Amino acid sequence: QSQVGPGTVSVDVRNDWGSGLVANVMVSNTGPVASGGWQVQLTTTEQITNLWNGAILSHTGNVYEIGNAAYNGTIAAGGSTSFGFQATHMLAGEGVTALVDRFA
């Protein structure tokens, strides 16, 4: 597998009800060719309790590694895909940061 170029990721908290939240994470391929897979690193004190359109590859401390599902690893050049999650607040006022770890 080879690197195909840069990507971006953005987190949109869709609903926050005080004790938890639901968020959507958009993964975009800004490189010149399609991706064959992707991984995103989420840093948060939130406890993810449900995730869709992706898979939790690892969880250590405040860092989650999220990978593509079998059906959304290919992102066309200039295209995007998304995954979502539900989480429980562990610390008040903490947010979620994300970055693209790998495009293959």
Side-chain angles (χ1 to χ4, degrees), residues 1-76:
Q1 295 182 351
S2 62
Q3 297 293 325
V4 297
T8 61
V9 62
S10 62
V11 179
D12 178 24
V13 175
R14 298 281 175 99
N15 192 359
D16 186 334
W17 56 90
S19 61
L21 61 84
V22 172
N24 187 66
V25 181
M26 181 72 64
V27 182
S28 300
N29 179 0
T30 58
V33 297
S35 71
W38 51 265
Q39 287 182 12
V40 169
Q41 185 180 87
L42 293 179
T43 303
T44 183
T45 57
E46 310 292 342
Q47 178 69 43
I48 294 177
T49 56
N50 189 18
L51 186 127
W52 50 93
N53 296 330
I56 297 174
L57 304 176
S58 69
H59 175 209
T60 305
N62 292 343
V63 178
Y64 287 88
E65 285 289 333
I66 310 295
N68 58 271
Y71 51 83
N72 67 353
T74 300
I75 305 174

Side-chain angles (χ1 to χ4, degrees), residues 67-100:
N68 58 271
Y71 51 83
N72 67 353
T74 300
I75 305 174
S80 61
T81 191
S82 65
F83 66 92
F85 64 90
Q86 180 178 350
T88 301
H89 287 312
M90 302 306 287
L91 294 173
E94 294 293 321
V96 181
T97 60
L99 58 89
V100 173

